[in-house]
Amino acid sequence: MKLLEINNLKKSFDNLDVLHDISLSVEEGEVVAIIGPSGSGKSTLLRCATLLETMDAGEMTYLDQRAVTTVDGRAQYADSATMKTVQGYFGLVFQNFNLFPHYSVLKNITDAPLHVQKRDKAEVMETAASLIRKMGLEGKEGYYPCQLSGGQQQRVAIARALAMRPKMLFFDEPTSALDPELTGEILKVIRQLAEEKMTIVIVTHEMPFARDVADRVIFMDGGYIVEQGDPVQVISNPQHERTRRFLARFSG
């Protein structure tokens, strides 16, 4: 089942074209890794997909909900009720954690399920306890973000996203703010989610992770999708010269 479909997405900032006619789809249970140099449009694509940026033109559908259409060459967003439904389909984990600094670990995880989704408190607390165990954060429930390591903060951010019960998760370079040891810690968590068949779209510079965990790799450059396909094929035997030049930096 297709969870996300984007067609002909265009985005510019101050007359600088950042995304050119991008089309992609994501199937349920699929792990899609997006790679490419800085400035290639990867994070802007994620921000458009998660409604943090508005598309200039194109179409976007989550499940059977059409979020964006194009009318007279301009993107037109659906009504607020549809957009609220769409927002419930996905979670987003940022590279810099974006936790609420004045909330404890437990409150960071439970606040939105309680106050945005209006779910039963006992059920939310049970879900939070399960996620805290899953993320190896037992005993940290009352801690504040400033009392945690970067890896712990990112695990809280992942738990917070999962607490909303999304159908898919977006990760925007989730390890870029972490040292190598903590990077491995977070990639292990994401690998576990992938094994549990969570639908994941991840922007990453971790090539071994992309090759070993993703079902599909997309290479972007200059706001275009240059190449995509099987991770081993794209990373170990790229067909496009630009992809080869980019990946040469990672071959050691």
Side-chain angles (χ1 to χ4, degrees):
M1 180 173 64
K2 208 170 279 185
L3 287 190
L4 170 63
E5 185 167 13
I6 294 173
N7 291 308
N8 311 116
L9 164 55
K10 296 175 184 174
K11 177 65 181 177
S12 61
F13 295 105
D14 298 325
N15 298 318
L16 174 67
D17 293 334
V18 178
L19 295 174
H20 305 266
D21 209 29
I22 297 288
S23 295
L24 65 92
S25 62
V26 182
E27 298 285 332
E28 185 175 25
E30 189 177 23
V31 178
V32 178
I34 303 175
I35 63 173
S38 296
S40 60
K42 307 183 303 295
S43 291
T44 301
L45 172 57
L46 244 63
R47 289 178 66 83
C48 286
T50 56
L51 310 174
L52 293 175
E53 294 284 0
T54 54
M55 299 162 50
D56 293 334
E59 298 178 344
M60 184 162 66
T61 303
Y62 275 94
L63 291 172
D64 58 347
Q65 301 284 334
R66 179 62 62 88
V68 186
T69 56
T70 292
V71 179
D72 297 328
R74 298 294 300 173
Q76 186 170 304
Y77 281 73
D79 60 86
S80 59
T82 300
M83 296 310 291
K84 186 174 180 181
T85 299
V86 165
Q87 286 174 316
Y89 288 148
F90 60 80
L92 174 60
V93 178
F94 300 87
Q95 53 186 307
N96 292 317
F97 324 133
N98 281 36
L99 298 174
F100 293 112
H102 55 296
Y103 284 2
S104 67
V105 166
L106 183 62
K107 188 168 173 60
N108 262 288
I109 295 170
T110 60
D111 190 66
L114 288 172
H115 298 114
V116 177
Q117 295 181 327
K118 311 289 189 191
R119 281 157 51 194
D120 176 72
K121 184 173 182 180
E123 180 265 320
V124 169
M125 291 301 173
E126 186 178 328
T127 297
S130 173
L131 288 168
I132 284 167
R133 285 194 301 274
K134 183 183 183 113
M135 296 295 151
L137 294 164
E138 300 99 321
K140 305 292 186 186
E141 293 86 348
Y143 282 47
Y144 288 84
C146 65
Q147 298 173 296
L148 303 175
S149 71
Q152 288 169 333
Q153 289 184 63
Q154 194 60 294
R155 280 183 278 147
V156 174
I158 295 170
R160 179 180 64 179
L162 288 170
M164 299 290 281
R165 301 188 300 201
K167 294 189 179 296
M168 65 187 299
L169 277 184
F170 291 90
F171 291 90
D172 187 6
E173 298 193 35
T175 60
S176 66
L178 304 175
D179 65 35
E181 185 177 357
L182 297 179
T183 291
E185 182 185 302
I186 296 306
L187 294 179
K188 183 178 177 183
V189 170
I190 301 171
R191 184 186 294 258
Q192 181 186 349
L193 293 173
E195 289 170 355
E196 295 168 1
K197 297 301 179 188
M198 184 74 199
T199 307
I200 294 170
V201 177
I202 179 170
V203 170
T204 184
H205 288 294
E206 302 294 333
M207 296 305 142
F209 175 84
R211 184 191 60 223
D212 297 343
V213 178
D215 299 299
R216 180 158 45 105
V217 166
I218 295 173
F219 172 68
M220 290 184 65
D221 186 44
Y224 293 93
I225 292 178
V226 175
E227 186 168 348
Q228 64 176 309
D230 175 82
V232 174
Q233 173 71 30
V234 173
I235 292 175
S236 301
N237 188 27
Q239 301 302 297
H240 197 283
E241 172 60 25
R242 182 65 188 94
T243 319
R244 285 197 286 272
R245 287 205 314 274
F246 173 74
L247 290 168
R249 294 187 296 145
F250 298 93
S251 61

